[in-house]
Amino acid sequence: MSPLELNSEQIAEILSVGELDVVGRLRYSSNGAFLVRAHADGAEVGAVYKPRRGERPLWDFPDGTLFRREVAAYEVSHALGWGVVPVTVFRPDGPLGPGALQRFVDHDPEEHYFTLLEDHEDRFRQFALFDVLVNNADRKGGHCLHDQANDLILGIDHGLTFHAAWKLRTVIWDFAGEPVPPALADDVCRVSAEAFDGPLGHRLADLLSPSELAAFGVRSTDVIREGQFPEPDPGYHSVPWPLV
């Protein structure tokens, strides 16, 4: 069975329990990241494996937590129903120890946010709102990939998310000040209600600290109350570097 014939639940199952073969290390990654093949029951899924032991210490994020934030970002994306993040699971028994395992996205590296925006504005409104909710501190243009297999725009590299302090840093400011579309606001309302007592809250509690989970709830409530995309904060470096 090819990956195109698998749904997200089947992909998650293969990534969670399948045998892993390491293909090689991904170049230019700031943290240790490896291309692997996960296979089970005759099906194979290419994936990116980010082990905890490959994370570089950062001054503002707790050590050894970035891989959990990658998984948490997927959980929120999945709960919203937006599919912004490729299927991502926590793998406790990876070749280099615990880490995140994310479906590999076959894409053209020449395509990125700035080349895709004109034809995919509504999709990037989802990205912009998603990044507010998860407090993405590093949304570069190159983190927006055109999945050639499924003809869908996907986002990767969500290790710098869910900080309890406001840290939104993104290239997606084109919708700043616009009203949030009602359908997206409805999705946020639904997920906000699940952030603590529902299944999403229980999953996030295993991945984030109590203060980070509480801050996620506050951001969700703020988005609903304010009803518009935020503007860049004056005096704050609201755009990452490099842009792509």
Side-chain angles (χ1 to χ4, degrees), residues 36-176:
V36 302
R37 296 191 184 99
H39 46 91
D41 299 326
E44 181 178 284
V45 176
V48 175
Y49 166 52
K50 295 184 177 181
R52 178 176 63 191
R53 66 188 294 183
E55 296 178 6
R56 292 187 305 142
L58 299 171
W59 70 270
D60 54 347
F61 281 82
D63 292 350
T65 66
L66 304 190
F67 76 101
R68 294 184 181 275
R69 299 170 195 277
E70 295 266 10
V71 180
Y74 169 72
E75 293 289 354
V76 171
S77 167
H78 185 63
L80 287 165
W82 299 350
V84 169
V85 183
V87 176
T88 310
V89 304
F90 167 55
R91 190 67 190 254
D93 60 343
L96 294 175
L101 204 60
Q102 181 174 91
R103 179 179 74 81
F104 177 77
V105 178
D106 187 14
H107 66 285
D108 181 350
E110 296 300 317
E111 292 187 299
H112 46 74
Y113 173 71
F114 300 103
T115 67
L116 296 166
L117 173 60
E118 183 176 357
D119 294 329
H120 301 277
E121 286 194 0
D122 285 344
R123 180 57 166 170
F124 284 121
R125 285 184 175 88
Q126 289 181 325
F127 269 63
L129 194 55
F130 173 78
D131 284 344
V132 171
L133 295 175
V134 304
N135 198 16
N136 195 346
D138 192 35
R139 174 65 76 196
K140 296 183 175 72
H143 296 168
C144 305
L145 310 183
H146 185 189
D147 183 353
Q148 297 184 333
N150 299 291
D151 192 25
L152 186 65
I153 309 302
L154 298 174
I156 61 167
D157 284 352
H158 295 101
L160 301 185
T161 51
F162 292 103
H163 201 287
W166 181 245
K167 285 184 175 288
L168 182 63
R169 187 177 291 114
T170 175
V171 297
I172 308 179
W173 290 110
D174 297 84
F175 315 111

Side-chain angles (χ1 to χ4, degrees), residues 18-24 34-39 44-47 49 95:
E19 183 178 347
L20 301 180
D21 295 328
V22 178
V23 177
F34 301 84
L35 180 63
V36 302
R37 296 191 184 99
H39 46 91
E44 181 178 284
V45 176
Y49 166 52

